[in-house]
């Protein structure tokens, strides 16, 4: 969709002069259709980052969506810390990859946009131990969830 592609370009980490002008003109106030696309494509936090980086105003509805993403990420991050502590305590040969690492490289006040945290296991035994822990950990939350949510973990074994 060409309209969505144009929106996505405004979420790039570095905006050229023309893109900065378009950002200011387009994202100060967005249409309902654009807002739907921003939600669908998970662009709110990217736009939030660029509004901070370049000092631009942003439609308050985009800020609201980004704020919800930031809160969700904070909750996920605290849960990931618990899981990482389990991995460390059990001395498992499992490491976080991709999102679990790149989170640390975002400049102060800028936010990571996705909540996927992938783990790489050196063997099936350790992967199974972690999977079992995660299942029992998630079961303790089942009655608190409005609906069973997708589990944000990916397991890959080197064996």
């Amino acid at each position: 969709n060409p309209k969505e592609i144009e929106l996505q370009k405004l979420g790039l980490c570095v905006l050229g002069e023309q893109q900065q002008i378009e950002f200011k003109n387009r994202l100060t106030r967005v249409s309902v259709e654009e807002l739907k696309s921003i939600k669908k494509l998970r662009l709110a936090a990217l736009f939030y980052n660029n509004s901070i980086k370049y000092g631009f105003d942003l439609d308050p509805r985009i800020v609201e969506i980004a704020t919800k993403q930031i809160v969700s990420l904070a909750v996920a991050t605290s849960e990931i810390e618990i899981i990482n502590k389990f991995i460390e305590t059990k001395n498992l040969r499992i490491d976080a990859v991709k999102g679990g690492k790149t989170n640390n490289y975002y400049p102060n006040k800028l936010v990571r946009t996705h909540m996927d945290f992938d783990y790489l296991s050196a063997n099936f035994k350790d992967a199974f131990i972690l999977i079992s822990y995660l299942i029992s950990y998630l079961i303790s939350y089942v009655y608190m969830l409005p609906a069973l949510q997708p589990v944000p973990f990916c397991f890959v074994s080197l064996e």
Side-chain angles (χ1 to χ4, degrees):
N1 179 337
K3 289 182 180 181
E4 289 181 350
I5 291 170
E6 291 304 313
L7 268 178
Q8 288 174 319
K9 287 179 183 178
L10 300 177
L12 292 171
C13 292
V14 177
L15 298 178
E17 285 182 41
Q18 189 59 38
Q19 290 167 320
Q20 289 179 41
I21 292 167
E22 188 176 347
F23 187 101
K24 282 195 292 191
N25 292 339
R26 195 162 175 192
L27 297 176
T28 303
R29 229 163 108 114
V30 296
S31 69
V32 173
E33 277 305 309
E34 288 173 317
L35 194 62
K36 285 180 185 177
S37 292
I38 290 166
K39 280 183 180 180
K40 179 181 110 180
L41 299 170
R42 298 187 53 81
L43 296 172
L46 292 171
F47 294 160
Y48 177 81
N49 286 345
N50 280 343
S51 72
I52 291 171
K53 186 187 289 184
Y54 295 103
F56 298 149
D57 290 329
L58 197 58
D59 187 305
R61 296 170 298 170
I62 298 173
V63 173
E64 182 181 341
I65 295 167
T67 301
K68 288 177 183 176
Q69 289 176 340
I70 292 165
V71 169
S72 293
L73 183 59
V75 170
T77 300
S78 67
E79 298 294 323
I80 292 298
E81 288 171 8
I82 293 168
I83 293 163
N84 288 341
K85 186 70 173 169
F86 175 83
I87 291 168
E88 182 183 327
T89 302
K90 296 293 183 182
N91 205 22
L92 302 177
R93 292 184 55 211
I94 295 174
D95 197 13
V97 295
K98 293 184 355 186
K101 296 284 187 191
T102 58
N103 228 19
N104 301 325
Y105 296 104
Y106 277 74
N108 191 25
K109 296 185 182 178
L110 299 186
V111 295
R112 185 171 173 270
T113 57
H114 297 298
M115 296 188 308
D116 63 318
F117 292 85
D118 300 334
Y119 287 93
L120 181 67
S121 175
N123 57 64
F124 286 116
K125 179 182 174 222
D126 288 355
F128 181 77
I129 291 168
L130 181 59
I131 292 168
S132 297
Y133 171 74
L134 290 173
I135 290 170
S136 65
Y137 187 75
L138 287 172
I139 288 172
S140 68
Y141 286 102
V142 166
Y143 294 106
M144 290 190 266
L145 296 174
L148 192 56
Q149 302 293 319
V151 180
F153 301 101
C154 173
F155 295 96
V156 178
S157 175
L158 298 176
E159 286 186 346

